[in-house]
Amino acid sequence: MSDPIERLRRIRDLFDALMDRPPDEREDYLAAIPDCDAEMRRELAALIAADGRTGPELELPHVRESRSQEHATLVGQRLGAYEVVRLIGMGGMGAVYEAVRADDQYRKRVAIKLVQGGLDSGLAVARFRRERQILASLEHPNIATLLDGGITPDGRPFLVMEFVEGEPITSWCDTHLVPLRERLALFRQVCGAVHHAHQKLVIHRDLKPGNILVGADGSVKLLDFGIAKLLGSDTGDEALPLTRGGARTFTPEYASPEQIRGDALSTASDIYALGVVLFELLTGRRPHVVPGHSLVAIERAVLEDPIPRPGAVATEGAATASGERSVTRLRHKLAGDLDSITLKALSQEPQRRYASAEALGEDINRHLRGFPVLAQRGWGGYRFRKFVRRNAAAVSLAALVLVALIGGFIATTAEARRARSAQTRAERVNDFLRVLLSSVQPTTGGRDVPVSEILDAAARRVDLELASQPEVRAELETVIGQSYMTLGRYEEAERHVRNVLAIRQQLTPRSPLVVAALNDLGGVFLGTGENDQADSIFKSGLALEDSIASGPDTLLASLLDNRGSVEHARGQPAEAERLHRQALTIRRSLLGDHSDKVAFSMNNVAVSLGEQNNWAAAESLHRAAIAILKTNHPEPSTMVADAEDALATALDLQGKNAAAESTYVEVIALRRSLLGPQHPMYAWTLSNYAMFVFDQGRYREAADLSEQILALRGKTLPESHPMIAAALQTVGRARDKANDRKGAAEALEESLALRRRYLPAGSWLIASSEGILAEHYTLVGDYPRAETLLLDANAINLHSLGADNPRTIANTRRIVTLYQAWKRPDKVREFQAKLPAPAP
């Protein structure tokens, strides 16, 4: 049998058949197998003899001997630009060496993975090339980075990867006595890395602590994609069997049931392995403890034995390593949510596990934040208890409303110097909240009470019960309106904010309270993308503020910041920067350097700098703002998500693709968790990410993301919202890539029409739509229409962005492409001269 893949498949099938026989019948069965040569019989006999043992001793003797010789000869040798220093370790597919780059460029420690001697078959080379292809597509801070690759003088491929110095996650946590909450936070990093790989259609297939290292800085690195599988590929991956001549390409103790059975694998297999690692992190032991470590016994336990609850089997050693006073205390902490989360990940049936590694990580996040976890079967008492606990932590809306109102009443008392009146209002508001919360019970279907349900109940009752108490009503409706804005429900927000404005104007027409109401109302229209109306309201607020304020205050800073956001949306980054800097100066002078509001203004200044092509300063400010917010808000926060979203865009436009993608993915997960999939801010990040993946050549994915945004049209996103035009533009470009010219034209023309309808004539967003539509017209040979659009876009870009802005340069390149297709060399030369010289 000359085909090595077919030979190995035959060995695997025969080995399975042999192991199904009673031990005393296997020798006779092996001797009677037809079409089995002597070498194949020797390999099968070695496999039978090795059964029941795991680890390096499973190798065949001639393989072990050749590998020992190879290690001795490779140390001190050169592989390309790298000098091999020492052997680090060995696995089923290859050996890993420490090496240093030894040429004149620079010196750098790296890890080199090389196919072992005796594996120079088409199968081994195919596997190894597969690993290089997979690793090259994975760019994530928690995945070991592929740096280089090459071929040895004898024709074997090797990978050069970043040198990761660390301990397996389980031993690192035990050695450093890491508490339970920090272990869970560390495990969420692992989930994020695995989810990134799954998004790239890659499964790992050998997740275990030895492939999950923790460095000295406490960050996780995921290693060894040597047996990963590209989902959905048709390049022969299924032809690569799971065993080869005595070596397994997975670790049975961490393998899923379907992996042991040899079934087709999906991302659910990695979810199971993550569950095993989580079980070990929490309890100090694996789910199945098998005496003697027999391979057959381990596999039988995985396939047949029930998994115990972590809270029932946690060890004394785990309690000590987690800093708990006793194992009883640790088991109490594991009982309930963590039991349910772990057992859901370890379900025998793949469809009953978490749908993704992201979902597993998010359920752990929900547990850490005190929310009901998805793994628990919901019942009223459990979810109501979670609801009450979150109130104490100021997570539920009721607590947020109460805190906001108390703060508001303190400020009002100081400002009005009417302590008695403020106390009376506070008592009335507290009575209102007490009645409201007692009337909203989590009795329907055993669920938690959604924030929006409490909001809606408050909105209904405020009209009925507080009509004769305008000051109390204004206080409550202010918080209700702001909360609706946070949820992206702008229509309801506008109604309540207008009510507040009417009450304030009637009671105290020239007061900061009226200015604040105008600022909120302008924010509603800013959120819906109605920039002209928003700007008009902000200017009214500024005029009133200027006439009544004795000096700059935080309300003035907020109005200036909001006006800057309007100018940014209009495509006027220099004016936006001026306004944002004014707001930043005021906030720093009043609030110090570490306030949320200061970070908010810093982030806005950074966005404006980026739009003016000053990327270094922009990225530095973004990171400074994020550092402030993360210090102030260690738990997941929408403010941190907002700042990281802006950083992702800055990294994207600088071409820092790996960092940009990981940041986008993190923000999408955070905003989906905190705001939900219909929120405008979630849609905003989806839109930016869709454009990013389009630029990476992932056109179908970009279109799918944009279609999610368009599904919100007329619901949470009005037609005027900028995300609608942006999503149409990305859909149109993707259709062009799929040769759907008619569909592309429809989407791109509609995008341009919306921007012309809702934006001022000089907006760079209009220029963007003109340039992309012109690109389409160039493709279909309609050169005159393309020229008209491109030259108009060029004029807008030069005026609003400048000649050096990346958007201006991109449009100039489109003009060059047009004239090249049109056979007009004079015009090609004219516009080529306007492009920056290529980097040396």
Side-chain angles (χ1 to χ4, degrees), residues 126-192:
R127 279 193 186 279
F128 209 78
R129 291 188 186 279
R130 174 73 66 219
E131 178 173 4
R132 182 166 61 188
Q133 176 183 349
I134 290 169
L135 288 174
S137 72
L138 301 178
E139 297 180 357
H140 190 277
N142 299 118
I143 296 178
T145 304
L146 175 66
L147 301 173
D148 202 352
I151 303 293
T152 65
D154 58 354
R156 288 173 298 161
F158 64 88
L159 301 178
V160 182
M161 307 183 67
E162 69 172 299
F163 188 89
V164 178
E165 206 158 20
E167 288 183 70
I169 186 170
T170 46
S171 60
W172 189 89
C173 286
D174 291 347
T175 301
H176 292 80
L177 303 180
V178 176
L180 186 61
R181 287 184 67 86
E182 293 179 24
R183 288 174 185 244
L184 294 171
L186 201 64
F187 183 75
R188 288 190 65 214
Q189 290 186 38
V190 181
C191 292

Side-chain angles (χ1 to χ4, degrees), residues 816-827:
V816 171
T817 300
L818 163 68
Y819 287 130
Q820 286 172 336
W822 206 351
K823 310 296 184 188
R824 296 181 63 177
D826 55 327
K827 289 291 187 180

